[in-house]
Amino acid sequence: MGNSLTCFAPKDLTEKGSKGSRWSQSPLKFIGSSVHKKDTTPRPSSSSAAAVRKEVIDDDLLRQQAVAAVLLLKQHQQQNGSSVPQFDRSSSVHYPLSSSKKQNKLPRSSSSRPSLALDLSHAQLPKNQVDSTTEVLETKHFVLVHGGGFGAWCWYKTMALLREAGFDVDAVDLTGSGIDSTDSNSITSFAQYVKPLVDFIDNLSEGQKVILVGHDFGGACVSYVMEMFPLKVSKAIYIAAAMLTTGKSTLATYQEQPSSDVMQQARKFIYANGKDHPPTSISLDKTLLTDLLYNQSPSKDAILASMSMRPMPFAPIMQKLALSESNYGSIPRFYIKTDEDFAVPPTLQEFMINSSPPEKVFQIKGSDHSPFLSKPQALHRILVEIAKLPSKANVSQ
């Protein structure tokens, strides 16, 4: 962080430093120290020396003021507990200025004057505070549902950002996914696969609502739960997800549009019951996972995610969903498109959007199939924006 304060330095001094001036080569010192070593370095003429000293002192004072601002922010928050301006990682969250009139003094050294070090390598700005607007939302509770082959692990960035913004967040491992030990080949129905999510929603207290977020095949799971528990779901968000119409299966819907070449190459069917029976699960070629799912994600995330992927059970994607207007249709839906997606291509996403139009469509530019890894900040901003949209009930009032 120390380097970031160079923006406070006057331009002409910065240019002098780049030419190797005596001032840029000397270590930065405390200003106002009560102890000074005698300097035997030959001095320039009195007028020029005074001008240079004034320039350097002015520059150091500017630097001190910047440091003082950082320290005041931190001290003000710790000692007075009042809200202060934040450098927030999400543009969707803003914090008001403090109304406190208390004045905090700068820390003092052993001398009578303040002495501030200019090395800010350990100075930290306060962490994001809870956004006060979350307290008036219909719900601030997100439940994140992973896609086929993924697990709750894939949401770690999104969970951290949402919690820092004041939201409650849970992520569920569906049967045979993440750390759930069930063999994917033994899953024979949609109900079996989605049971952990059903149990979670069923155990919510009466009157408690959540915002369901589904990715990929997790979208079909979200729709299934919306039909079962319409009074417990405030909103539903589909991220490059299977948003089905009633009477359709995920497999049939996905077959409406051609899959990408890399998907055709990466997809492998597993026949645990023999080749004369239907496939029991689908796996993806690990050598092609980055190209298919993480083509815009950081390499470290792509490697870790590739190691964490598991086969996806085949039976659930063949099951048709029965979705009614009175239950599923009563809940606002939102869709988030990913435009660099090779697993659920933009053409397929558009097809599902047009087949069953949601309340609003968002797009994350430059996102692969996994925006929670490739574009976590952009995804976070959209999730927060959707959470703050008024519900149908509030609009009707």
Side-chain angles (χ1 to χ4, degrees):
M1 182 168 173
N3 292 336
S4 66
L5 292 184
T6 57
C7 63
F8 292 95
K11 182 178 179 182
D12 57 346
L13 184 58
T14 304
E15 292 174 350
K16 290 180 182 180
S18 64
K19 296 179 181 179
S21 72
R22 178 167 62 84
W23 304 103
S24 65
Q25 294 171 359
S26 301
L28 294 172
K29 296 180 175 63
F30 295 116
I31 296 179
S33 173
S34 59
V35 179
H36 297 279
K37 292 183 179 180
K38 186 176 182 181
D39 190 353
T40 58
T41 306
R43 301 289 184 182
S45 65
S46 59
S47 60
S48 61
V52 172
R53 278 198 304 273
K54 183 179 186 303
E55 185 177 20
V56 173
I57 289 173
D58 288 346
D59 177 53
D60 284 343
L61 286 173
L62 286 173
R63 292 170 183 262
Q64 281 196 87
Q65 291 171 0
V67 178
V70 173
L71 294 177
L72 281 172
L73 284 171
K74 186 174 181 180
Q75 187 180 38
H76 192 70
Q77 182 189 35
Q78 292 175 344
Q79 294 182 0
N80 298 295
S82 59
S83 176
V84 294
Q86 304 287 310
F87 292 92
D88 186 21
R89 290 189 289 179
S90 168
S91 62
S92 60
V93 183
H94 301 279
Y95 302 90
L97 291 172
S98 171
S99 59
S100 173
K101 296 182 179 179
K102 294 182 180 179
Q103 299 294 327
N104 294 312
K105 296 182 179 180
L106 294 175
R108 294 188 177 273
S109 65
S110 56
S111 68
S112 60
R113 299 185 191 176
S115 180
L116 298 176
L118 298 185
D119 178 10
L120 297 185
S121 58
H122 300 293
Q124 298 292 330
L125 289 174
K127 292 184 178 180
N128 290 348
Q129 291 182 335
V130 174
D131 180 5
S132 59
T133 61
T134 62
E135 299 300 327
V136 298
L137 300 179
E138 180 183 27
T139 179
K140 60 175 184 176
H141 191 175
F142 282 92
V143 177
L144 311 178
V145 186
H146 63 79
F150 292 82
W153 52 264
C154 72
W155 297 108
Y156 79 96
K157 291 183 180 180
T158 300
M159 293 181 73
L161 289 171
L162 287 172
R163 285 177 178 172
E164 287 176 4
F167 291 90
D168 300 321
V169 194
D170 286 289
V172 179
D173 275 323
L174 300 175
T175 307
S177 307
I179 62 172
D180 184 271
S181 60
T182 307
D183 182 357
S184 300
N185 294 295
S186 68
I187 299 172
T188 57
S189 69
F190 192 101
Q192 182 185 1
Y193 178 69
V194 78
K195 187 176 186 301
L197 177 60
V198 171
D199 290 344
F200 183 92
I201 302 299
D202 190 34
N203 289 328
L204 292 174
S205 59
E206 185 177 354
Q208 185 177 357
K209 288 191 174 186
V210 298
I211 299 172
L212 287 177
V213 181
H215 171 247
D216 189 78
F217 184 53
C221 301
V222 164
S223 298
Y224 182 83
V225 170
M226 291 164 67
E227 182 65 28
M228 291 184 67
F229 303 102
L231 298 181
K232 292 188 174 184
V233 182
S234 172
K235 299 181 179 79
I237 304 173
Y238 296 76
I239 305 173
M243 189 170 65
L244 312 180
T245 56
T246 187
K248 283 289 190 72
S249 69
T250 301
L251 180 62
T253 300
Y254 279 17
Q255 288 177 338
E256 295 281 355
Q257 297 291 319
S259 57
S260 65
D261 292 338
V262 65
M263 171 59 87
Q264 295 179 23
Q265 297 172 25
R267 185 172 49 206
K268 295 182 177 180
F269 294 98
I270 299 174
Y271 298 85
N273 298 326
K275 288 292 185 73
D276 54 340
H277 292 84
T280 51
S281 65
I282 304 173
S283 68
L284 298 172
D285 187 337
K286 289 189 177 296
T287 64
L288 296 174
L289 279 180
T290 297
D291 292 337
L292 179 64
L293 305 176
Y294 314 114
N295 49 294
Q296 300 296 325
S297 299
S299 58
K300 290 181 180 179
D301 284 332
I303 292 172
L304 181 59
S306 298
M307 296 172 62
S308 305
M309 294 290 292
R310 294 180 59 183
M312 175 185 173
F314 186 75
I317 70 171
M318 296 179 63
Q319 182 167 328
K320 299 176 181 179
L321 294 189
L323 305 172
S324 67
E325 279 299 315
S326 58
N327 291 349
Y328 167 81
S330 66
I331 301 169
R333 290 177 288 116
F334 303 86
Y335 203 97
I336 302 176
K337 294 170 55 180
T338 47
D339 64 354
E340 296 290 337
D341 194 328
F342 294 119
V344 181
T347 53
L348 176 55
Q349 296 178 44
E350 285 287 352
F351 171 78
M352 292 185 287
I353 291 169
N354 293 332
S355 299
S356 181
E359 297 282 322
K360 191 172 182 179
V361 177
F362 299 82
Q363 177 169 303
I364 302 179
K365 294 183 178 180
S367 173
D368 53 25
H369 187 58
S370 309
F372 36 75
L373 298 180
S374 61
K375 297 290 182 180
Q377 297 283 358
L379 175 60
H380 168 74
R381 288 193 292 270
I382 294 173
L383 294 179
V384 172
E385 180 179 345
I386 293 173
K388 293 181 178 181
L389 291 175
S391 65
K392 285 184 176 180
N394 293 336
V395 172
S396 61
Q397 293 174 359

